[in-house]
Amino acid sequence: MVHRLATCPLCEATCGIVVEVDPEAGAVRGVRGDPDDPFARGHICPKAHGLKALHEDPDRLRAPLVRVGGELREAGWDDALGEAITRLDRVRKAHGNDAVAIYLGNPSAHSLDVMFYGQVLIRALGTKQRYSASSVDQLPKMVSAALMFGGGLTVPVPDVDRTDHLLVLGANPAASNGSLMTAPGIVDRLRAITARGGRVVVVDPRRTETAALASEHVFVRPGGDAALLLAMIETLFAEGRVRLGAVEGHVRGLDEVRAIAARYPAERVAARVGVDAATIRRLARAHADAPTAACYGRIGTTAQELGTLASWAVDLLNVLTGNLDRPGGAMFTTPAALPGRHRRRASTRFGRFRSRVRGLPEAFGELPAATLADEILEPGDGAVRALITVAGNPVLSVPGGDRLARAIASLEARVAVDIYRNETTALADVILPPPSALARGHYDVALYQLAIRDVARWAPPVLDRAPGAPAEWEILLTLAKGLMGMGAAPLAMADDFVAKELVERELADAPPEVSGGRTSAEVLAALAPRRGPARLLDLLLRTGAHGDHFGARPGGLSLAALEAAPHGLDLGPLRPRVPDVVRTADGLIDLAPALIVGDLARLDAWLDRPAPDVALIGRRQLRSNNSWMHNLVPLIKGPERCTLRVHPDDAARLGLVAGGRARVTSRAGEVVAPVELTDELMPGVVSLPHGFGHDAPGAQLAVARAHAGVNTNLVTDPLLLDVSGNAALNGVPVTVAPA
Ligand SMILES: Nc1nc2c(c(=O)[nH]1)N[C@H]1C(S)=C(S)[C@@H](COP(=O)(O)OP(=O)(O)OC[C@H]3O[C@@H](n4cnc5c(=O)[nH]c(N)nc54)[C@H](O)[C@@H]3O)O[C@H]1N2
Ligand SMILES: Nc1nc2c(c(=O)[nH]1)N[C@H]1C(S)=C(S)[C@@H](COP(=O)(O)OP(=O)(O)OC[C@H]3O[C@@H](n4cnc5c(=O)[nH]c(N)nc54)[C@H](O)[C@@H]3O)O[C@H]1N2
Ligand code: SF4
Ligand SMILES: [Mo]
């Protein structure tokens, strides 16, 4: 029995873990927190134990599946990969590159393999039909950050360890463990704020597990955040409390913001938002008067109708109270590995083309996932005829899941790279399962960009891969080279090509010192003999902000340096980064981007529209992870979780009883779910978790099927979108009646 260090890949908290393994048997005996991880300090949540169950899950696919005569059958790797390429290629040859769509799911953000080689596959496809879970998640924040700061991931992170005042809107880190805020052990960090005399204020239509830890909880009507925050900002201007602090001289659009805010006094928005005017003004003063304060918004502020406006307003509040870019406020990271770090161009990539059927804007090269079904089902030139999903389950994650399932079933070719035969992948012609997460190296390139301290931790694979089973990056690269007509080229050669390309791209705009004056060829030679994701990571680390510049900066970071520090490195608290971090065209933070100002018309319409009788919101649960951890007994056991939570007053009014069943109906569809009564919900708001509905034919999820629940995304509406194209999964108008 040996103990091996790893990083839990299951959520954004990036907890260091110790995995007890029997390497001979390839078996996992147990998982515990790594007390010597300087960031997580031994903290884990129940999901970490799920890693063992995940590794052992008999339903987790160990061999590829290929559809033969209508049925998915086990196949060898060469055959399955060949079959996938042939089927996709046939569609491309017949209908063009844009006939093949690709959807990347959430675990992509937790996997070096998919981060790097998913992009290679996308480039090989050369398709405009790109989708990901981003557009059912954080896209509004990315659009607002790109417009304000010049980069989609230039997102300010609340400095929770130093703040005196944390205002949380639409996030439940006590269940989610934090998002767009990598902060392991977040519950302790929140408790520490109040313990040191600070305040935590939670604004949420539900009195959540996080609200229970907070100094104050304020109910808000779903969708009300932008109006609430603008009204708070109006108070700040009216009372002469606006100050820019560190970013003075680095912003533009302040006068415009003053004029905008003047239109949203607390008294105008109070009734519709569900927060009285006195409370709005008090919240504003508290934020401005605190020695330091940070405003933080998450899914409740992004996956809603006014998500981009709300995301913008969150950062505006930070700017206007002098809290952007100062310790204890909202700050930017200095990540150790940052792709494209030296690119100086502004990277607002929005609306450069539009979706064929609904004319929706592209964002960061992707189209809204809510319109994928349209692009498949609507015949004509440019219709999608094939789909690759990588680490995604859009049938359960995207609004209009039933229609999407029908659309996927109608395709000429479907390939899935996934560890499960789930509600989406069961429709595929070929499923290519990557190895267990414990059999791959791990470094959180994406999540460390959003961490509350600068940190770096590399974990080599805990277990060996099964003989003959390719790594996920090898699966993706094999597909890519096959689709580029280079199927016969050795994988190692294709990988050298990928590394060469990345080196050239990273060095193109970089000052010569980051490579210690080396040419691209010399850099490539210095990265040998590493290959795969580890080589690409080493490049980013060595040319990165903390890098060793290939020896020119002794003591700097490299993958070797991280290998020598297996518990991870703490690179310190967040530091002021403005103006360096700002990449807008003129180098100034844009407080009033035209796209966002233009969207205020929708906010006005929202304010004028009466609140729906009942609005549906989502709910995350600690022992769950979107749609894919319901097949693990230790996590799913216990009382039924896919329940409709209803306030008792609403229940009385609507004729619902605890334990009875309710039919939830929207414009888009309906589900029937068991009722749970609780006054934690704001009256007029009901809540149903997502990721359930595990009764689809063909899926191989025996445990999940026994806890099937219903798919809330049959009720959420593919037509209800934010200006960014993100789905409004929260605040869906519904009617609720006994079933
Ligand atoms: N109504 C409603 N809908 C929502 C949300 C909501 O709040 N409410 N939340 C949205 C959000 S924030 C998100 S991120 C999306 C998630 O949407 P998706 O990403 O589409 O769905 P997941 O359930 O995360 O599915 C992840 C898939 O990846 C597979 N997988 C796990 N690990 C690996 C791996 O290492 N490699 C590969 N190839 N596959 C792997 C799993 O088996 C699973 O099939 O759902 C969204 N949908
Ligand atoms: N255990 C667990 N952890 C997870 C996940 C999981 O499924 N399970 N999923 C992961 C993923 S993919 C993500 S993106 C993150 C998400 O991380 P969080 O955003 O922290 O997750 P949620 O629990 O969905 O919190 C959203 C909150 O918004 C509230 N809300 C809904 N509508 C509104 C609104 O209009 N205004 C306001 N102010 N609040 C509103 C909801 O009541 C809820 O409390 O969590 C990640 N971590
Ligand atoms: S908080 Fe997230 S990263 Fe930490 S153990 Fe739980 S699931 Fe894993
Ligand atoms: Mo997400």
Side-chain angles (χ1 to χ4, degrees):
M1 212 58 61
V2 294
H3 293 91
R4 295 209 169 131
L5 295 168
T7 303
C8 175
L10 298 178
C11 89
E12 297 176 44
T14 73
C15 302
I17 52 176
V18 183
V19 188
E20 193 181 339
V21 293
D22 177 347
E24 243 75 294
V28 177
R29 297 286 175 242
V31 176
R32 57 185 168 81
D34 172 11
D36 299 316
D37 173 346
F39 193 30
R41 298 190 211 111
H43 170 87
I44 52 168
C45 84
K47 282 215 295 291
H49 303 293
L51 277 172
K52 173 172 153 64
L54 180 61
H55 182 74
E56 292 167 353
D57 187 352
D59 283 337
R60 185 171 61 78
L61 301 177
R62 271 85 170 164
L65 300 176
V66 174
R67 194 172 296 278
V68 184
E71 264 186 52
L72 284 169
R73 299 215 187 119
E74 280 200 9
W77 274 102
D78 289 345
D79 289 347
L81 284 162
E83 190 65 30
I85 293 163
T86 305
R87 291 188 192 221
L88 294 169
D89 215 35
R90 205 181 294 144
V91 172
R92 285 214 313 175
K93 293 226 166 79
H95 307 288
N97 287 0
D98 291 338
V100 180
I102 183 164
Y103 172 95
L104 255 54
N106 169 275
S108 320
H110 304 256
S111 158
L112 266 190
D113 289 39
V114 186
M115 283 275 299
F116 286 131
Y117 292 86
Q119 293 308 312
V120 176
L121 176 57
I122 285 170
R123 282 203 297 279
L125 287 170
T127 177
K128 283 188 170 162
Q129 292 285 350
R130 288 173 51 190
Y131 300 85
S132 80
S134 288
S135 54
V136 283
D137 188 348
Q138 81 287 358
L139 185 59
K141 192 76 205 176
M142 294 176 66
V143 168
S144 97
L147 293 170
M148 294 178 80
F149 308 113
L153 280 181
T154 310
V155 170
V157 180
D159 187 7
V160 289
D161 286 352
R162 290 183 288 182
T163 196
D164 299 289
H165 187 95
L166 183 67
L167 175 61
V168 178
L169 300 104
N172 186 12
S176 70
N177 288 305
S179 180
L180 298 183
M181 170 182 74
T182 294
I186 184 66
V187 165
D188 288 346
R189 295 180 199 267
L190 294 178
R191 287 208 175 103
I193 297 175
T194 46
R196 63 179 176 262
R199 281 174 61 79
V200 177
V201 179
V202 171
V203 176
D204 198 300
R206 192 182 140 229
R207 197 171 59 247
T208 59
E209 295 83 349
T210 305
L213 302 167
S215 327
E216 180 179 1
H217 167 244
V218 177
F219 278 132
V220 67
R221 280 246 165 69
D225 305 87
L228 170 70
L229 290 163
L230 283 171
M232 288 171 65
I233 289 167
E234 190 276 338
T235 299
L236 300 180
F237 278 113
E239 298 183 357
R241 290 171 190 270
V242 169
R243 55 175 194 279
L244 297 184
V247 299
E248 181 95 56
H250 298 292
V251 304
R252 73 178 140 92
L254 185 61
D255 290 339
E256 210 175 338
V257 168
R258 184 185 293 111
I260 290 167
R263 288 159 44 195
Y264 302 96
E267 292 71 17
R268 175 181 173 203
V269 307
R272 180 66 176 91
V273 163
V275 184
D276 64 78
T279 302
I280 296 177
R281 294 193 186 280
R282 181 172 56 76
L283 291 175
R285 291 176 196 128
H287 207 87
D289 293 349
T292 62
C295 180
Y296 162 70
R298 202 46 201 92
I299 279 285
T301 60
T302 58
Q304 57 135 292
E305 220 180 320
L306 302 169
T308 301
L309 280 169
S311 299
W312 163 73
V314 163
D315 288 333
L316 266 188
L317 184 67
N318 287 321
V319 169
L320 299 174
T321 52
N323 282 299
L324 187 78
D325 204 37
R326 78 154 162 195
M331 304 190 74
F332 299 99
T333 56
T334 312
L338 179 62
R341 178 166 92 95
H342 303 288
R343 235 172 284 143
R344 286 312 304 186
R345 270 174 302 114
S347 65
T348 307
R349 295 176 285 151
F350 187 79
R352 293 167 301 174
F353 59 92
R354 294 198 163 251
S355 69
R356 179 179 63 101
V357 180
R358 284 167 62 187
L360 296 168
E362 151 276 348
F364 305 96
E366 293 182 8
L367 292 169
T371 197
L372 173 57
D374 306 317
E375 295 291 318
I376 297 172
L377 290 172
E378 181 69 34
D381 230 22
V384 168
R385 299 310 312 145
L387 175 67
I388 309 176
T389 58
V390 180
N393 191 5
V395 166
L396 293 194
S397 314
V398 170
D402 48 350
R403 184 160 170 267
L404 182 57
R406 276 202 309 282
I408 295 174
S410 78
L411 291 169
E412 291 167 34
R414 295 145 291 226
V415 172
V417 181
D418 205 288
I419 55 176
Y420 280 115
R421 175 170 168 174
N422 63 23
E423 296 72 17
T424 302
T425 64
L427 300 167
D429 307 302
V430 182
I431 309 181
L432 303 165
S436 159
L438 296 173
R440 65 170 192 239
H442 191 93
Y443 181 96
D444 280 298
V445 170
L447 305 177
Y448 292 157
Q449 293 179 45
L450 299 156
I452 59 157
R453 294 178 69 85
D454 289 320
V455 291
R457 179 176 168 118
W458 159 256
V462 165
L463 293 169
D464 292 335
R465 266 182 275 138
E472 186 152 19
W473 68 270
E474 293 175 322
I475 297 171
L476 298 170
L477 185 55
T478 304
L479 292 177
K481 85 182 163 73
L483 289 165
M484 289 193 293
M486 293 171 18
L491 198 73
M493 192 200 274
D495 189 38
D496 287 343
F497 184 74
V498 169
K500 180 168 176 287
E501 257 197 351
L502 189 69
V503 167
E504 282 167 4
R505 226 166 341 126
E506 289 297 324
L507 295 188
D509 299 325
E513 69 259 22
V514 302
S515 58
R518 283 171 173 73
T519 63
S520 298
E522 288 164 347
V523 164
L524 266 173
L527 295 169
R530 294 190 196 275
R531 50 196 288 273
R535 167 162 56 177
L536 307 182
L537 174 64
D538 196 24
L539 168 72
L540 296 185
L541 289 169
R542 301 182 78 173
T543 57
H546 306 266
D548 77 347
H549 297 176
F550 294 91
R553 201 158 69 172
L557 286 191
S558 60
L559 192 49
L562 292 185
E563 283 165 340
H567 299 287
L569 291 176
D570 179 28
L571 306 168
L574 302 186
R575 280 158 274 197
R577 298 275 340 258
V578 174
D580 287 353
V581 78
V582 181
R583 294 190 192 192
T584 50
D586 64 1
L588 296 177
I589 298 170
D590 190 355
L591 299 183
L595 179 89
I596 293 178
V597 172
D599 201 32
L600 290 166
R602 287 195 317 124
L603 172 59
D604 293 332
W606 185 91
L607 283 168
D608 291 341
R609 200 194 313 152
D613 182 45
V614 183
L616 174 70
I617 63 169
R619 180 168 89 241
R620 275 182 168 70
Q621 302 164 328
L622 186 59
R623 288 166 176 273
S624 182
N625 200 16
N626 297 325
S627 77
W628 68 281
M629 300 203 77
H630 299 153
N631 208 51
L632 308 178
V633 176
L635 296 184
I636 196 73
K637 68 181 184 211
E640 160 131 47
R641 290 227 298 267
C642 187
T643 58
L644 185 77
R645 289 198 181 164
V646 184
H647 190 281
D649 293 353
D650 283 332
R653 177 170 73 90
L654 300 166
L656 305 172
V657 293
R661 297 169 72 71
R663 183 179 310 278
V664 185
T665 310
S666 73
R667 189 207 65 82
E670 64 172 42
V671 293
V672 173
V675 173
E676 210 183 331
L677 299 188
T678 166
D679 68 359
E680 73 188 22
L681 277 155
M682 187 177 194
V685 179
V686 296
S687 144
L688 192 62
H690 74 285
F692 286 92
H694 300 294
D695 49 3
Q700 180 187 327
L701 297 161
V703 176
R705 192 177 289 279
H707 303 264
V710 293
N711 179 5
T712 190
N713 284 321
L714 304 183
V715 178
T716 61
D717 189 341
L719 297 185
L720 207 60
L721 304 184
D722 170 54
V723 69
S724 61
N726 202 86
L729 304 168
N730 293 287
V732 181
V734 291
T735 55
V736 184

